[in-house]
Amino acid sequence: MADAAPGPQRPKLRVAVLISGGGSNMAALLGAAAAADFPAEIALVLSNRADAGGLAKAAAAGVATAVVDHRAFPDRDSFDAAIDAELARHGIEFVCLAGFMRLLTEGFTDRWRDRMINVHPSLLPLFKGLHTHQRALDAGVRFHGCTVHFVRFGMDEGPIIVQAAVPVLAGDDADSLAARVLAMEHKIYPLALRLVGEGRAVVDGERVRIEGEGAAPGGMLWPAG
Ligand code: GAR
């Protein structure tokens, strides 16, 4: 009898990606999830805005989409309950926030504790909130970057899984810096989801331990001389 084809160690994690806009991070996750050995499948893309550009990209890729318009609900609890109902309807086990620009209630973040991650365009805990690139420029930092972290109730708070740093260049404005950071977001988000899906990113207290961490680069310095 022929050997069975090699398969994944565990069933793929059923993931929903929550977006509010263009969805370039969602597209990066979809691209990564196309690999046979990726431990997660994107089973749903949900947006609070019907006009979010990412919805069309997801539909074109054959992924189920849903719109839960926050303006249709009287308060945050009922909005979050409607999101939860969609997630349940699609058998979702894990949530990726990817440019989802609504604050979630404590009930929701507690229900999805250690089962929900977010990408943020700064090296957290620096520059939580909005306008991170301009704030990095104003602060005069030499390195800026992005973070993927487990979600806690506090805005842009929670155990950090992966970060990427980029240099801040002399001629940068917020747009050029944002583009450099976004390119790295597209690398670290799929990496973080892979680490979680493979069971290698373990929440330990309020820090993340990475099992079988790879070789570390040397330090970076900027400006170089
Ligand atoms: C990304 O830069 C993401 O880090 C940011 O919104 C952008 C969404 O872009 N998220 C936040 O600021 C949340 N705090 P995308 O729709 O092209 O992925």
Side-chain angles (χ1 to χ4, degrees):
M1 200 168 83
D3 286 341
Q9 295 293 307
R10 54 174 94 193
K12 289 186 186 241
L13 198 59
R14 284 181 66 79
V15 171
V17 185
L18 272 52
I19 63 169
S20 298
S24 70
N25 277 289
M26 174 220 71
L29 292 172
L30 275 181
D37 72 343
F38 198 77
E41 65 177 301
I42 311 304
L44 175 68
V45 172
L46 182 151
S47 177
N48 62 305
R49 300 178 54 110
D51 62 353
L55 286 173
K57 290 182 200 166
V63 176
T65 62
V67 175
V68 181
D69 186 339
H70 58 280
R71 294 168 304 184
F73 297 89
D75 53 35
R76 288 181 195 278
D77 283 324
S78 53
F79 172 60
D80 286 4
I83 295 176
D84 248 338
E86 278 298 327
L87 300 178
R89 203 162 72 79
H90 290 270
I92 298 302
E93 302 167 296
F94 196 87
V95 174
C96 290
L97 304 180
F100 185 69
M101 305 309 266
R102 304 299 302 172
L103 291 175
L104 295 162
T105 58
E106 190 161 16
F108 191 92
T109 57
D110 280 354
R111 268 195 304 289
W112 290 91
R113 187 181 177 89
D114 298 344
R115 298 188 296 137
M116 177 160 62
I117 61 179
N118 178 48
V119 64
H120 181 74
S122 78
L123 289 171
L124 290 173
L126 282 176
F127 310 131
K128 294 173 180 173
L130 298 175
H131 311 300
T132 58
H133 309 300
Q134 188 58 52
R135 288 159 65 205
L137 289 171
D138 292 347
V141 293
R142 296 297 181 204
F143 286 105
H144 182 41
C146 47
T147 303
V148 179
H149 62 98
F150 285 100
V151 174
R152 296 291 182 261
F153 176 54
M155 183 180 61
D156 300 322
E157 280 182 9
I160 291 169
I161 306 166
V162 185
Q163 292 186 305
V166 303
V168 179
L169 307 186
D172 270 333
D173 60 15
D175 288 343
S176 62
L177 191 51
R180 196 172 308 119
V181 169
L182 190 63
M184 296 310 293
E185 293 183 42
H186 298 162
K187 293 184 191 298
I188 67 170
Y189 215 170
L191 171 59
L193 183 56
R194 175 181 282 279
L195 290 170
V196 170
E198 290 177 348
R200 293 177 54 205
V202 180
V203 180
D204 187 355
E206 279 301 87
R207 294 165 66 173
V208 173
R209 190 179 66 247
I210 303 292
E211 309 279 6
E213 210 164 54
M220 294 188 295
L221 60 86
W222 184 253

